[in-house]
Amino acid sequence: MAEPDELIAFAGEVIGDQPDAWDRAGTIPDKVVRTLAARGVLCAQVPTRYGGVGLNSADNGELTAFVGSRCSSLRSLMTSQGMAAWTIQRLGDRPQRSAHLSRLAGGELAAVAFSEPGAGSDLSAMTTRIEPDGDAVVVTGEKVWITAACYADLLVVFGRYGDGAAAVVVPTSAPGVTVERVPEPLGCRAAGHAFVHLDGVRVPAADVLGGVGQSTALLVTTALAYGRISVAWGCVGILRACLTEVSGHARRREQFGKPLAEHQLVARHVAQLLAAEQIATRMCAHASHCWDSRSPEMVSATVLAKYVSSRHAAAGAATAVQVLASAGARDSHPVARAYRDAKLMEIIEGSNEICELILAEHALGTYA
Ligand code: FAD
């Protein structure tokens, strides 16, 4: 099993100083993505018995925060890959886990497809159909904004099956699959977001994960739990990157005869960023502890971590742009990227409003 520090050092070397260029190009070179995937960095919680790295949630969280501090597009690929792996691990039977997890741990790339034109926050409105046909199933539907789909070898697709729902593993090379890049996304511009058209795609029935006709809520909640904790740690990374940029600039840049850091209103911005990073880190560490100790609090702690971290990342990135002012007001500057990327974190894996609804229900059930 690799040590988390080794994986962080390896990722740091592979990433180098390229993220601004990737953001401008709207893509990450295949070699970079494949190198990290083959080392297991993109889904580092896959157990060693399936060829994975076998990190626990806390260590994978710090790895995710590190990658997120450098490049939210690459961190988005990690989230998708890890979410696909987690879904297969939780919903798949033993042969499915053996077949698919070893592919992901070995370097194949995956994306997870829930959202549709008419089903965003309300995934019970999904219309994608998964229909039995002999020893195959046929998948038909439209998916939107699927992160990493432009890079993916396989998709975990959620849809209706009979009176219930199912999730199925679909190769992107299968006849009937079309992947169409989302043009000019606000942020995470190199994350390979795509519209995915599924036109009568036949896949073996053996690739329907863990049986058919399950509850949509159960399937979706299982997958999103990983997505949420991964995004939450990614937001910690955004805050750390902003702290680095802000601290350096505030010490170097002088106005009114002294460094910006010595102006108390600027110092307050630095203090608030530090507090945001510490709050987000602790929320994530607590959620990961719940994962690692299999605590029943895991789901609520994860939603809370994602909600708090994404709000702080969006506000913190705006603060960072404010402190750097014209120095950070260029599209590919790290704080400008952070500003665009962080806003998206308030929308995905359950928007902040949806998180608030979940948290309110939890509070009312616990404290009433
Ligand atoms: P809507 O559901 O139309 O919501 C619009 C607004 O109304 C939001 O502010 C929402 O919070 C609010 N709202 C909706 N319902 C309620 C309610 N009941 N109470 C209060 N407020 C409400 N999908 C995937 O399947 N896979 C991916 O990998 C993926 N990656 C994404 C990456 C990015 C960068 C983005 C932007 C989206 C991605 N999505 C992905 C889609 C994402 O999951 C949806 O955008 C998200 O669930 C919100 O759905 P929507 O955009 O349709 O907004």
Side-chain angles (χ1 to χ4, degrees), residues 12-195:
E13 261 175 48
V14 176
I15 295 169
D17 61 359
Q18 296 301 301
D20 289 340
W22 299 340
D23 189 62
R24 279 196 298 275
T27 188
I28 303 172
D30 207 43
K31 184 161 185 274
V32 170
V33 180
R34 297 277 167 189
T35 300
L36 292 169
R39 184 77 173 80
V41 170
L42 301 186
C43 53
Q45 263 176 260
V46 171
T48 50
R49 64 181 175 281
Y50 301 114
V53 169
L55 293 191
N56 63 19
S57 176
D59 288 339
N60 190 35
E62 284 295 343
L63 174 63
T64 305
F66 173 76
V67 173
S69 72
R70 298 291 182 88
C71 179
S72 285
S73 290
L74 184 57
R75 196 277 310 145
S76 299
L77 266 55
M78 272 181 99
T79 298
S80 294
Q81 180 92 345
M83 183 160 47
W86 176 250
T87 305
I88 291 164
Q89 193 179 329
R90 294 297 293 178
L91 301 179
D93 57 25
R94 190 186 294 257
Q96 290 170 332
R97 289 197 296 270
S98 297
H100 299 305
L101 288 179
S102 55
R103 291 171 68 188
L104 296 186
E108 291 193 41
L109 298 166
V112 180
F114 315 99
S115 303
E116 300 181 0
S121 300
D122 178 12
L123 290 173
S124 69
M126 280 189 299
T127 57
T128 293
R129 297 188 316 276
I130 303 169
E131 291 167 322
D133 184 13
D135 58 0
V137 291
V138 178
V139 187
T140 305
E142 300 291 328
K143 297 292 183 182
V144 296
W145 276 97
I146 307 309
T147 302
C150 292
Y151 300 92
D153 302 296
L154 58 92
L155 305 164
V156 176
V157 176
F158 290 76
R160 308 238 61 81
Y161 190 114
D163 291 338
V168 60
V169 178
V170 176
T172 49
S173 59
V177 178
T178 313
V179 175
E180 181 194 346
R181 183 178 288 275
V182 173
E184 300 176 353
L186 168 68
C188 299
R189 289 181 174 167
H193 306 116
F195 304 106

Side-chain angles (χ1 to χ4, degrees), residues 1-5 7-8 44-46 53-67 78 86 226 229-230 232-234 236 240 280-294 298 302:
M1 190 174 105
E3 291 297 323
D5 289 350
L7 292 177
I8 287 174
Q45 263 176 260
V46 171
V53 169
L55 293 191
N56 63 19
S57 176
D59 288 339
N60 190 35
E62 284 295 343
L63 174 63
T64 305
F66 173 76
V67 173
M78 272 181 99
W86 176 250
Y226 186 95
I229 196 157
S230 179
W233 277 109
V236 168
R240 290 178 185 171
T281 298
R282 278 157 178 69
M283 297 297 290
C284 288
H286 174 65
S288 277
H289 173 72
C290 291
W291 278 66
D292 291 333
S293 60
R294 297 173 193 271
M298 173 187 134
T302 298

Side-chain angles (χ1 to χ4, degrees), residues 133-351:
D133 184 13
D135 58 0
V137 291
V138 178
V139 187
T140 305
E142 300 291 328
K143 297 292 183 182
V144 296
W145 276 97
I146 307 309
T147 302
C150 292
Y151 300 92
D153 302 296
L154 58 92
L155 305 164
V156 176
V157 176
F158 290 76
R160 308 238 61 81
Y161 190 114
D163 291 338
V168 60
V169 178
V170 176
T172 49
S173 59
V177 178
T178 313
V179 175
E180 181 194 346
R181 183 178 288 275
V182 173
E184 300 176 353
L186 168 68
C188 299
R189 289 181 174 167
H193 306 116
F195 304 106
V196 177
H197 312 281
L198 301 153
D199 184 10
V201 183
R202 284 180 73 82
V203 293
D207 286 340
V208 176
L209 296 172
V212 296
Q214 304 184 60
S215 113
T216 309
L218 177 79
L219 292 181
V220 165
T221 306
T222 301
L224 283 180
Y226 186 95
R228 286 173 177 150
I229 196 157
S230 179
V231 165
W233 277 109
C235 289
V236 168
I238 289 175
L239 286 163
R240 290 178 185 171
C242 287
L243 261 178
T244 301
E245 293 295 331
V246 163
S247 303
H249 186 75
R251 290 176 85 109
R252 280 190 307 271
R253 167 86 171 158
E254 293 194 359
Q255 286 292 280
F256 301 98
K258 58 184 180 181
L260 290 176
E262 291 179 25
H263 297 286
Q264 289 182 337
L265 293 180
V266 176
R268 186 184 63 181
H269 285 317
V270 179
Q272 288 178 342
L273 250 180
L274 175 68
E277 184 273 333
Q278 289 286 301
I279 291 165
T281 298
R282 278 157 178 69
M283 297 297 290
C284 288
H286 174 65
S288 277
H289 173 72
C290 291
W291 278 66
D292 291 333
S293 60
R294 297 173 193 271
S295 160
E297 216 194 306
M298 173 187 134
V299 171
S300 57
T302 298
V303 174
L304 195 55
K306 192 272 172 182
Y307 174 67
V308 170
S309 302
S310 64
R311 281 174 58 119
H312 278 297
T319 298
V321 174
Q322 190 70 17
V323 173
L324 271 88
S326 61
R330 284 183 296 108
D331 219 11
S332 61
H333 189 283
V335 296
R337 260 197 299 128
Y339 182 68
R340 289 188 278 102
D341 296 344
K343 182 60 208 167
L344 296 179
M345 301 306 111
E346 296 196 295
I347 297 171
I348 59 173
E349 314 300 348
S351 64

